[in-house]
Amino acid sequence: MVGAYISDKDIPNRGGLGIANNLTANLDAMLWRFAFGPVLSAAPLLGSVPMATGGTFADVLAAPSPAQAFAGGVNAAGSYAQNIFTQNSRSWSVFTQNTLELTDRLGFVLGLRWIDERKDAAFFQPEAKNDACFNTLANFGALAAGAAGTGLEQVAGTIGAFSAGFACFPFAVPVDVAPGQPESFSGIYDDNELAWTTKLTYEFNDSTSGYASFTHGFKAGGFNLDPTAASGGASPQFGAETNDSFEVGLKSLLFDDRVRANFAVWNYDLEDFQVLEFTGVQFMTFNVPNAQSHGAELEMTASISQNLNLNLGYTYADSEYPDDCDGGVPNPPASVASLCGALMTNSPKNSVNLGFDYQNYIGSNQYFLSGNYRWVDERRTSTQPNLALDIMDATGLLNLRGGFGSEDGRWTVEVWGANLLDERIRTVTFNVPLRIGARAAFIAAPRTYGVTLRTTF
């Protein structure tokens, strides 16, 4: 088999965000009356420090709204930005897949794919305004300078950094104005790679065969289309991911072909593994230099009778970021360093799947009943450091479906239930935007049941 593939895709995206009237009041309650509690008792010692926008830090502490006073008297309400992102992605590849019969029982498979990827991306703003942000940054600098050498650096740093972090909400602040704040960008990602696979297959007899394969895979990199992607001179680009995988397996038919059993073991070595992280505000992709996965899988199906089939599956997967996942790079990014030694997201070590399917007839009509139970081990639900809420306990999902209908399938009545044990499953956990220390989660569907009518005309 020989073939070719080509694609050309444009992604235009315009997103606007404006700050509403209550943000400043919320910052007063959230920061100045709550989060700053541990340092506010020492804050009056910095009262004589002059603010860049006028007055002193004592005036800020005494103001009815410290958040607005620290922003130079400017209310954050009305701050806004119009953000525009563009990306053109062009990809082409040529490939071939070949099977050679070396003997009557021994076969060799060779597949090759040349991949060429190019992405042109940009971020810019046609308009934006946020005076409260830049006044807060200026007063943060003044407070930090006034605290230097006094032993109160942590007090100034806590108050200034948190205030700036919230006042300068990245989706509603002008770009290319202040250090560390959003920056516009345009760039080109251009990469190519030869992906390939090899496999040896051997038929031991008419009902048993085995295989061993080695594959080099490739996933192209790209750009984070986000206002913060280039902040502080960072690169908005993430790199390509490669995967070298080795797998050995056995496939067999047993008991007069009534039982099918497949078994495999594998090992994956991933370089520059692409991690998609939801921070609670944005989706960001970054590379982890090293990741790995190895394990084993067993799949069995059995025809107990003409009407009843059973299936069983078990998977053991040790998928983790090794202790040296940062690749030995000095001062690795915190997003990478926090993952080293942790399990991959949503990668349970053990999972079991049990199911059955029964069909029979009453006259010219058929009835059926099927069920599935899937148990999975505990797993991480976030790319954040190992917080308690980021570990989901082992859970089991039970689904059942029964029905009655015509033999030719022209009509069917089905009664079904999903997650009948009503397991409460966190699929993703993440930081809540603008709420310090708060975590949220996406929850899988609860117990659900219903009736489905099907008909064809």
Side-chain angles (χ1 to χ4, degrees), residues 287-365:
N287 296 97
V288 177
N290 297 310
Q292 60 189 24
S293 175
H294 60 270
E297 184 176 51
L298 172 66
E299 295 180 339
M300 297 183 66
T301 58
S303 297
I304 303 302
S305 68
Q306 184 178 359
N307 307 106
L308 179 62
N309 295 317
L310 303 178
N311 61 74
L312 163 69
Y314 169 73
T315 301
Y316 171 80
D318 187 3
S319 304
E320 64 179 4
Y321 303 99
D323 292 337
D324 60 349
C325 79
D326 56 18
V329 177
N331 301 316
S335 57
V336 173
S338 66
L339 293 176
C340 292
L343 294 177
M344 289 186 183
T345 305
N346 282 320
S347 297
K349 281 198 171 184
N350 298 280
S351 59
V352 179
N353 192 75
L354 302 171
F356 73 93
D357 183 13
Y358 180 82
Q359 296 184 9
N360 213 330
Y361 292 87
I362 299 178
S364 61
N365 297 319

Side-chain angles (χ1 to χ4, degrees), residues 123-436:
F123 161 54
F124 62 94
Q125 284 181 339
E127 55 181 332
K129 183 178 185 296
N130 191 332
D131 293 336
C133 164
F134 299 118
N135 286 346
T136 299
L137 289 174
N139 286 332
F140 176 19
L143 186 64
T150 66
L152 299 172
E153 293 85 356
Q154 183 179 0
V155 175
T158 299
I159 293 174
F162 274 89
S163 297
F166 286 96
C168 300
F169 197 64
F171 297 92
V173 65
V175 299
D176 304 327
V177 176
Q181 294 303 302
E183 297 181 17
S184 60
F185 64 82
S186 64
I188 297 175
Y189 169 88
D190 199 351
D191 200 2
N192 52 67
E193 184 83 6
L194 177 65
W196 49 272
T197 183
T198 59
K199 179 190 288 186
L200 277 174
T201 62
Y202 187 78
E203 295 184 6
F204 297 98
N205 51 53
D206 291 342
S207 60
T208 305
S209 64
Y211 67 91
S213 67
F214 188 87
T215 299
H216 175 73
F218 169 80
K219 182 193 293 185
F223 291 89
N224 283 305
L225 301 181
D226 184 271
T228 66
S231 296
S235 173
Q237 183 176 307
F238 58 90
E241 172 189 323
T242 60
N243 177 17
D244 290 328
S245 61
F246 179 71
E247 183 173 332
V248 177
L250 191 68
K251 300 182 178 182
S252 61
L253 294 172
L254 308 170
F255 305 108
D256 296 327
D257 296 346
R258 295 171 68 89
V259 176
R260 179 185 298 273
N262 300 329
F263 178 74
V265 295
W266 76 84
N267 183 77
Y268 298 161
D269 286 321
L270 302 113
E271 293 188 6
D272 294 322
F273 181 61
Q274 295 173 1
V275 176
L276 176 63
E277 178 178 49
F278 180 59
T279 66
V281 177
Q282 60 209 138
F283 289 93
M284 298 289 287
T285 299
F286 60 90
N287 296 97
V288 177
N290 297 310
Q292 60 189 24
S293 175
H294 60 270
E297 184 176 51
L298 172 66
E299 295 180 339
M300 297 183 66
T301 58
S303 297
I304 303 302
S305 68
Q306 184 178 359
N307 307 106
L308 179 62
N309 295 317
L310 303 178
N311 61 74
L312 163 69
Y314 169 73
T315 301
Y316 171 80
D318 187 3
S319 304
E320 64 179 4
Y321 303 99
D323 292 337
D324 60 349
C325 79
D326 56 18
V329 177
N331 301 316
S335 57
V336 173
S338 66
L339 293 176
C340 292
L343 294 177
M344 289 186 183
T345 305
N346 282 320
S347 297
K349 281 198 171 184
N350 298 280
S351 59
V352 179
N353 192 75
L354 302 171
F356 73 93
D357 183 13
Y358 180 82
Q359 296 184 9
N360 213 330
Y361 292 87
I362 299 178
S364 61
N365 297 319
Q366 65 174 341
Y367 65 94
F368 60 89
L369 179 65
S370 63
N372 175 267
Y373 178 77
R374 177 173 173 78
W375 178 89
V376 293
D377 212 344
E378 69 175 24
R379 61 274 189 198
R380 297 180 66 240
T381 56
S382 170
T383 51
Q384 301 289 323
N386 284 318
L387 303 176
L389 287 177
D390 290 354
I391 305 298
M392 182 67 218
D393 293 336
T395 53
L397 281 178
L398 175 63
N399 304 318
L400 292 175
R401 180 180 293 269
F404 182 80
S406 63
E407 183 179 5
D408 60 9
R410 296 195 62 179
W411 64 271
T412 305
V413 179
E414 299 178 9
V415 179
W416 52 268
N419 189 12
L420 289 175
L421 301 179
D422 202 22
E423 293 272 19
R424 188 172 178 84
I425 300 174
R426 300 187 304 276
T427 59
V428 179
T429 50
F430 52 91
N431 291 327
V432 178
L434 300 181
R435 291 187 61 186
I436 297 174

Side-chain angles (χ1 to χ4, degrees), residues 76-118:
S79 300
Y80 72 96
Q82 290 289 337
N83 301 315
I84 294 181
F85 307 93
T86 62
Q87 179 172 284
N88 173 259
S89 176
R90 284 163 284 176
S91 174
W92 65 269
S93 63
V94 291
F95 56 88
T96 180
Q97 183 87 359
N98 308 279
T99 302
L100 307 176
E101 295 183 359
L102 302 179
T103 70
D104 290 342
R105 295 187 179 275
L106 181 64
F108 177 71
V109 178
L110 173 64
L112 301 172
R113 187 183 188 98
W114 175 258
I115 305 167
D116 190 285
E117 295 269 354
R118 178 187 171 98

